[in-house]
Amino acid sequence: MEEPHIEGGENQNKLLDVAPALISVHPSQKSIAVTVGSDLRVFNLIDNSAVTLVDESNESFHKDSIRAIRYSASGKLFASTGDDKLVKIWSAESWSCLNTICSEKRVTAIAISHDDSYVCYADKFGVVWVVELDGINEGNVLPSKKGVALLSHYCSIITSLEFSPDGRYILSADRDFKIRLTVFPEKPLQGAHEIQSFCLGHTEFVTCIAFVSNPELTQSYLMSGSGDSTVRLWDITSGSLLDTCDVSTVAGHLESNESEPTQVTVTDICAIPDSSLAAVAIQSFQGILLLSCDLSAHTLSITKVIKIPGESFIPTSIALSTSTLWMVSGASNGSNQPGYSRVRVISCIESEPSSVLEDEQIPGGTKLLEKLQGKISIEESVMIAASEAVRTAMSGLLMKKQYSEEKREFRKRTRNDKKTTN
C-alpha cells in the first residue's frame, strides 16, 4: 500500500505553528479574553477599557502560540497555556500573574477545579498534570511549582479537559476518538487511579466537550464534537451513547450545495446555562448551529441555523455569556508573526429571531474591537487565508498518520519538544 505523502520536518513544523484564535468570557461577563498566537488580549466590559497584564515572574509573557484559555467557574482566576510550555494563572480582577508553571512538553488543554484549588493541564504526549493552587484566592503570587502526573492517555494528544459540574470527575478527550471519565481524587497529587467510564463511538478525533443540563433534572449529560461530522450525547456515568447528530447534512449543503454531504469538523461547543440548548461551531462553515437536547428522551436535534452575513467569518472559537454568543475567527502563523482575529456577537441566541450584531452594537463597541482584534477593520482576504490555514493545521495535527521506519527516525531527530535540562 502506497504511503501518504508527508512533508519534511521544516514544513511540518511551520504547519503546526498555525494556532487558531481563541475566545473566553467571564462567567459574569465582567471581561472577555482573546488570544491569537502568543498574544493575550483582555477587555474589561464593566469599565469599558482595555486591560494591561502584569507579570512580575521570572518568566515573561507567552513566547509561543497559546493553545488553551479559560476562566475558572468562580470567575476569580484565568488560565492560559500553549506551545511555550508555560501554564500561567492570572487574577481575573487585577490581571496580575499569580503563578507560572513550567511544563516539560507543549500543553494542549487546561482546566481549573471548581474550588480553584487545582489546575490540571495536558501535554501533547497525553499526560494530564495537576498543580495545587493553595493560597491563590487570597491574591498571593505563588512560587513556581512542577506538575504531578494525574493520569495518562498514552501518547495520544488530549484535545479537551473539563471538570464535571459537581466536581467529582475530570473528563479528557483525545485524538484517538475516545473520552475518558476519571474520578477526581481527594488527594490529586497522589494520582487519579479510578476510571468511571469511557465514552466510545466517535470515528475521528474528538475536538471539544461540554456539559448540558436542565434545572428539572438532577443529572448532567455530556456533548462532544469530532472530526467525524457529528455531535454526540452521552450518559457519562455509564459511558453510554444516547444519540448522534450528523451536522454535515446542514453545514455541508449550506457550504457547498453538493448533493453528497461533506465530512466536516466540529470545532467548538458551548452549552447555554440552565437550558437544553447548545451552540456549535463547524470548520469551514460561516455560521452557528443551535442544537436542542431533549434530556428526558435522550435525543439531539438541530433547532436553528444562524448564518453570519457579509464578510467571510468562520468561527474558530465561541463562548457564551447569558444569551449572548461571542465568536472569534482568525489565526497566527508562528509566534513571531502578526496575529489576525475578528470578533462577532450574536444576541438573544435562544429566541427568534437571533441577531448578529453590527460592530457598533457590540458591548464595548469599536474600543473593544480595537483591543481584541488589534485593529478595528480586518481585510476579508486575510480572514479567508487564516481560516484555510487553521483547517489544514488541525487536520495535520489531529489526523493519525502512518510512517515508515525511515520517516519515524527522521521525526525523532527533528523533534523540538525534547526535555530540557537545567
Side-chain angles (χ1 to χ4, degrees):
M1 182 176 178
E2 185 178 350
E3 183 175 318
H5 172 69
I6 304 295
E7 295 183 349
E10 183 179 353
N11 289 335
Q12 183 73 3
N13 288 337
K14 287 181 179 179
L15 178 67
L16 298 185
D17 278 341
V18 176
L22 305 175
I23 194 166
S24 187
V25 182
H26 188 278
S28 301
Q29 201 164 331
K30 292 181 179 179
S31 58
I32 182 168
V34 164
T35 66
V36 55
S38 61
D39 200 7
L40 172 58
R41 306 164 181 172
V42 183
F43 191 85
N44 188 319
L45 291 167
I46 303 299
D47 297 337
N48 198 37
S49 62
V51 168
T52 300
L53 304 176
V54 178
D55 189 353
E56 297 178 352
S57 65
N58 293 328
E59 299 289 345
S60 62
F61 291 140
H62 286 289
K63 296 169 287 190
D64 209 334
S65 296
I66 298 171
R67 297 288 179 173
I69 56 173
R70 73 164 58 223
Y71 286 87
S72 65
S74 68
K76 296 179 180 179
L77 302 178
F78 179 87
S80 59
T81 188
D83 289 349
D84 62 0
K85 308 175 188 177
L86 298 179
V87 178
K88 287 187 172 289
I89 310 298
W90 308 82
S91 165
E93 296 174 356
S94 67
W95 287 101
S96 58
C97 182
L98 302 177
N99 193 216
T100 299
I101 302 159
C102 297
S103 170
E104 293 179 356
K105 307 292 184 184
R106 296 184 180 190
V107 183
T108 58
I110 195 165
I112 301 173
S113 63
H114 293 325
D115 60 1
D116 293 344
S117 295
Y118 298 94
V119 61
C120 297
Y121 60 93
D123 67 27
K124 65 173 291 188
F125 276 67
V127 180
V128 177
W129 304 83
V130 61
V131 172
E132 188 174 12
L133 300 177
D134 186 38
I136 203 165
N137 269 335
E138 284 72 48
N140 299 326
V141 177
L142 303 183
S144 182
K145 299 181 180 180
K146 293 190 71 69
V148 176
L150 181 72
L151 59 94
S152 176
H153 278 232
Y154 303 104
C155 296
S156 180
I157 295 175
I158 293 177
T159 55
S160 188
L161 277 179
E162 293 286 344
F163 279 93
S164 61
D166 59 11
R168 292 178 57 198
Y169 305 106
I170 184 168
L171 285 85
S172 44
D174 67 24
R175 77 166 182 178
D176 286 328
F177 323 156
K178 67 180 179 292
I179 303 166
R180 169 175 165 171
L181 179 71
T182 307
V183 175
F184 192 70
E186 292 184 6
K187 298 179 179 179
L189 300 184
Q190 297 179 7
H193 308 293
E194 183 180 351
I195 300 174
Q196 174 69 29
S197 65
F198 284 99
C199 299
L200 304 175
H202 281 296
T203 57
E204 285 291 352
F205 51 88
V206 182
T207 52
C208 48
I209 53 179
F211 281 93
V212 60
S213 60
N214 187 313
E216 298 176 0
L217 301 176
T218 57
Q219 182 178 354
S220 296
Y221 294 86
L222 184 74
M223 294 177 64
S224 61
S226 168
D228 63 8
S229 304
T230 69
V231 175
R232 301 185 187 231
L233 182 67
W234 309 88
D235 179 337
I236 60 169
T237 305
S238 64
S240 301
L241 176 61
L242 302 177
D243 199 16
T244 299
C245 181
D246 189 336
V247 299
S248 66
T249 306
V250 174
H253 282 307
L254 286 176
E255 177 190 339
S256 59
N257 292 321
E258 295 178 357
S259 57
E260 293 294 327
T262 56
Q263 182 155 303
V264 295
T265 296
V266 177
T267 54
D268 209 354
I269 296 176
C270 274
I272 298 176
D274 298 324
S275 80
S276 57
L277 299 174
V280 176
I282 299 171
Q283 200 171 69
S284 303
F285 175 57
Q286 188 170 319
I288 293 291
L289 301 186
L290 195 64
L291 266 58
S292 176
C293 312
D294 187 330
L295 299 181
S296 298
H298 298 163
T299 59
L300 276 174
S301 60
I302 298 173
T303 188
K304 187 192 297 188
V305 179
I306 305 172
K307 289 279 286 182
I308 302 173
E311 66 196 64
S312 177
F313 182 90
I314 298 171
T316 53
S317 179
I318 59 177
L320 267 166
S321 179
T322 59
S323 61
T324 301
L325 182 72
W326 294 80
M327 307 170 288
V328 69
S329 177
S332 176
N333 189 2
S335 58
N336 296 319
Q337 300 297 321
Y340 303 103
S341 63
R342 179 78 170 95
V343 174
R344 301 295 301 271
V345 174
I346 299 176
S347 68
C348 305
I349 190 168
E350 300 172 78
S351 60
E352 289 288 354
S354 299
S355 175
V356 181
L357 301 183
E358 299 295 332
D359 287 353
E360 59 272 14
Q361 298 174 313
I362 292 176
T366 55
K367 197 173 182 180
L368 174 142
L369 294 177
E370 187 172 9
K371 173 64 178 178
L372 299 185
Q373 296 181 173
K375 56 181 181 178
I376 295 175
S377 177
I378 305 294
E379 295 78 8
E380 184 171 356
S381 60
V382 170
M383 300 312 299
I384 293 174
S387 175
E388 179 59 25
V390 169
R391 186 192 67 80
T392 305
M394 180 176 284
S395 177
L397 179 66
L398 296 178
M399 295 291 288
K400 300 206 71 174
K401 308 175 183 67
Q402 299 296 322
Y403 297 104
S404 65
E405 184 66 28
E406 180 182 359
K407 184 64 68 176
R408 282 196 294 269
E409 290 301 318
F410 173 79
R411 287 170 59 83
K412 288 179 182 178
R413 292 194 304 270
T414 56
R415 275 174 50 186
N416 63 356
D417 63 348
K418 295 178 181 178
K419 183 176 180 179
T420 57
T421 57
N422 295 327

